[in-house]
Amino acid sequence: MTPTTEHRPQMSVEEFEDLERRAPETVRLEFIKGRVQVKPVIDGNHDQIVAWLQRLCMQHRPELWLYGERGMKMESYRKGRARPDGVLAPFGFPAGHGDWSESEGVLMVVEVTSHDADTHRRDRVEKPEGYAAAGVPVYLLIDREECAVVVFNQPESGRYRHQETLPFGATVTLPDPVGITLDTRPLQDLVE
């Protein structure tokens, strides 16, 4: 008898962390909703968007830092693992955390969409649910396919109660506890 998808044994968080530690440096893995996912390789425009945002965060909130690719525990009961493109938290936040940080103290997570088939499911559906379940106050999605910035906030019961989508070029206000206003015109030049 061949096992069906419903009866396939789930990988434990510990098994995933061991697998992730052994993966080649060129492969980034995430564990979302009980599934191992390969995080796509980033391109130059992706890096530039994260650098642009990092500079703005430093200018407006110098006591904070936008940590890139920081391993985060997410989803209910911390059974998921993600590597957001950015984690905004007080400077020194990850000290002593090892590979994976709890969400406590994180003000915002950032994802920049990749050009792959899983972007919709991963960045627009699963990650907002996971970050909300972990209690992250703000999730900023920079959606290159839609040429839009999506701000999720007010996490409650595993969902963000508020979501605002604005086109590249608009002024975007990141709500408290972030409290930063972004002029997104530079994003218009970074669309592939």
Side-chain angles (χ1 to χ4, degrees):
M1 179 175 183
T2 305
T4 63
T5 304
E6 303 94 47
H7 297 97
R8 182 178 47 194
Q10 290 284 332
M11 177 181 277
S12 71
V13 171
E14 294 78 17
E15 290 169 325
F16 166 76
E17 289 180 354
D18 184 55
L19 176 66
E20 201 269 343
R21 269 191 300 277
R22 296 170 189 267
E25 288 181 21
T26 57
V27 176
R28 301 299 284 191
L29 300 176
E30 296 180 308
F31 190 54
I32 301 171
K33 294 198 173 253
R35 288 192 337 253
V36 175
Q37 299 181 20
V38 177
K39 187 164 181 164
V41 175
I42 55 177
D43 57 62
N45 284 0
H46 183 285
D47 280 344
Q48 188 61 34
I49 290 169
V50 173
W52 164 80
L53 186 59
Q54 188 175 48
R55 186 181 70 223
L56 289 174
C57 289
M58 286 177 57
Q59 289 172 346
H60 293 281
R61 300 286 306 270
E63 76 280 14
L64 302 176
W65 190 258
L66 187 68
Y67 294 94
E69 295 286 323
R70 177 79 214 131
M72 291 290 306
K73 296 178 181 179
M74 58 180 272
E75 296 181 19
S76 299
Y77 310 108
R78 310 297 189 251
K79 291 182 181 175
R81 300 290 186 268
R83 289 202 181 271
D85 294 317
V87 173
L88 185 68
F91 185 76
F93 161 76
H97 289 193
D99 292 337
W100 305 99
S101 294
E102 296 285 346
S103 60
E104 188 175 334
V106 172
L107 305 181
M108 176 176 74
V109 292
V110 178
E111 295 287 359
V112 178
T113 59
S114 299
H115 301 295
D116 69 343
D118 288 338
T119 289
H120 176 73
R121 179 184 46 78
R122 184 183 56 250
D123 294 335
R124 298 181 189 118
V125 177
E126 292 178 348
K127 286 196 175 177
E129 291 174 2
Y131 295 141
V136 176
V138 178
Y139 169 42
L140 175 64
L141 175 62
I142 299 175
D143 193 327
R144 297 189 291 170
E145 184 178 313
E146 300 296 325
C147 296
V149 175
V150 186
V151 180
F152 298 83
N153 68 313
Q154 301 175 12
E156 184 178 290
S157 302
R159 297 253 189 265
Y160 285 106
R161 290 185 4 214
H162 185 259
Q163 174 182 334
E164 181 176 24
T165 303
L166 296 163
F168 285 179
T171 298
V172 175
T173 301
L174 300 175
D176 287 336
V178 178
I180 296 173
T181 300
L182 305 174
D183 173 1
T184 66
R185 285 180 291 183
L187 296 176
Q188 294 171 319
D189 297 330
L190 296 172
V191 177
E192 295 175 348

